[in-house]
Amino acid sequence: MKIPNAPFVVVGETLVDLMWRAGADRVHASPGGSPANVALGLRRLGRSVGLVTCWGDDPPGQVIARYLADTGLDVVRAAGTSPRSTVALAYLDPDTGSATYDFVPHWAPPALEPSDDAVLLHTGSLAVIVEPGAGRVLELCARFRRGTGRAVSVDLNVRPAVQPDRGEYRAAVHRVAEVADVVKASDEDLRWLWPDSDPQDSARRLLGLGPRLVVLTRGAEGATAHTADAAVSVPAPPVEVVDTIGAGDSFQAALLDGLVRPGAEGRPSVRFPVRREALRRLLARAVLAGALATTREGARPPHRRELDAGEAGTS
């Protein structure tokens, strides 16, 4: 099955979050999923994006279908083997706005083939952990990365609820990092994977597996980007947090947006920052996007105009 002919292609789950807030007597159903949120974030930044995802012919699937129809994304529904859609149970902390999750996952796309027009392939979260789909995504990443001027991006977005065995999870992370050019992880992700190591040391460990850029997000403390030649940190701007759902995905979308630039004859290409100042600017814009996402309820990534206005306000 061919992935879409778009410069940006995202492969991974779209799901329905069933969100509980402490003290509330109702459950709020909201469509999302980390890969789908990244795709929407890129679209809101004006990018042409293809999303390869799965959902079932069930009530959550109807919510997903209606949601995706209004996003402006080039959506390819990969035929899976399950009639069910992925559902996440999200529990929101009333003080911090952070969420913890349980999952009912269904991820079984067919074998996927790279398209000629895509220059950046992004995946992560459940899509690189839940089988049988994870193995097929890994194969796609390995084939896609062989193309000239292309890059593979992975957001680990660790979810122990779908794979509680730490050793098995680490092995999966190693496999996907070996076929990635960009890896993003939060400090919470890396503390769970390697509880006896400092997250910065764990980020450098991931860099040693082959990526050109490893980005560590640290919540309200900002983020750090690691390359073979530099480590650059930026703080997060102070904001009034409503909840943190989708903040990392908004960060990811802005990061990827900054990596792709017009190339020869107008064809976009991936360009990794070489100088520290360029890396700092890229990271600061991504941190701002994540911060803006926390000021609203649910996974609602900022539009380019909001991000541009936020940058102007902090300069």
Side-chain angles (χ1 to χ4, degrees), residues 10-17 31-42 51 53 67 86 88 101 103 122-127 154-159 184 189 245-250 252-253 299 301:
V10 178
V11 177
E13 71 273 6
T14 308
L15 52 77
V16 172
D17 283 313
S34 178
N37 293 340
V38 172
L40 179 59
L42 284 164
L51 172 65
T53 190
Y67 164 70
T86 297
Y101 293 90
F103 294 90
H122 175 74
T123 187
S125 195
L126 308 188
V154 175
D155 181 359
L156 298 187
N157 198 34
V158 170
R159 297 300 187 217
K184 181 181 83 69
D189 292 337
I245 294 174
D249 305 323
S250 295
Q252 183 79 55

Side-chain angles (χ1 to χ4, degrees), residues 111-124:
L112 302 167
E113 292 293 333
S115 71
D116 295 331
D117 293 340
V119 297
L120 198 147
L121 170 66
H122 175 74
T123 187

Side-chain angles (χ1 to χ4, degrees), residues 209-234:
L209 296 175
R212 298 181 62 181
L213 175 64
V214 173
V215 177
L216 173 65
T217 59
R218 297 179 286 111
E221 300 301 314
T224 302
H226 292 273
T227 70
D229 301 316
V232 175
S233 295
V234 301

Side-chain angles (χ1 to χ4, degrees), residues 151-302:
V152 171
S153 162
V154 175
D155 181 359
L156 298 187
N157 198 34
V158 170
R159 297 300 187 217
V162 300
Q163 175 50 277
D165 187 305
R166 214 180 304 260
E168 290 294 326
Y169 214 125
R170 280 196 294 259
V173 165
H174 274 244
R175 288 192 295 269
V176 74
E178 288 171 350
V179 295
D181 300 283
V182 180
V183 174
K184 181 181 83 69
S186 70
D187 50 3
E188 291 181 355
D189 292 337
L190 298 189
R191 284 194 187 99
W192 188 86
L193 287 168
W194 292 284
D196 297 327
S197 297
D198 182 273
Q200 299 286 7
D201 293 333
S202 298
R204 286 187 283 270
R205 177 188 288 115
L206 289 171
L207 190 68
L209 296 175
R212 298 181 62 181
L213 175 64
V214 173
V215 177
L216 173 65
T217 59
R218 297 179 286 111
E221 300 301 314
T224 302
H226 292 273
T227 70
D229 301 316
V232 175
S233 295
V234 301
V239 294
E240 186 174 339
V241 175
V242 175
D243 70 43
T244 63
I245 294 174
D249 305 323
S250 295
F251 177 104
Q252 183 79 55
L255 180 74
L256 300 183
D257 174 65
L259 288 176
V260 176
R261 290 287 180 262
E265 299 179 352
R267 176 180 170 82
S269 63
V270 179
R271 299 184 185 180
F272 287 91
V274 176
R275 298 184 178 180
R276 292 177 64 92
E277 181 56 27
L279 185 58
R280 189 201 66 78
R281 288 195 302 269
L282 174 68
L283 194 61
R285 186 171 171 87
V287 166
L288 175 61
L292 290 173
T294 69
T295 64
R296 58 197 81 181
E297 185 174 322
R300 294 168 55 197

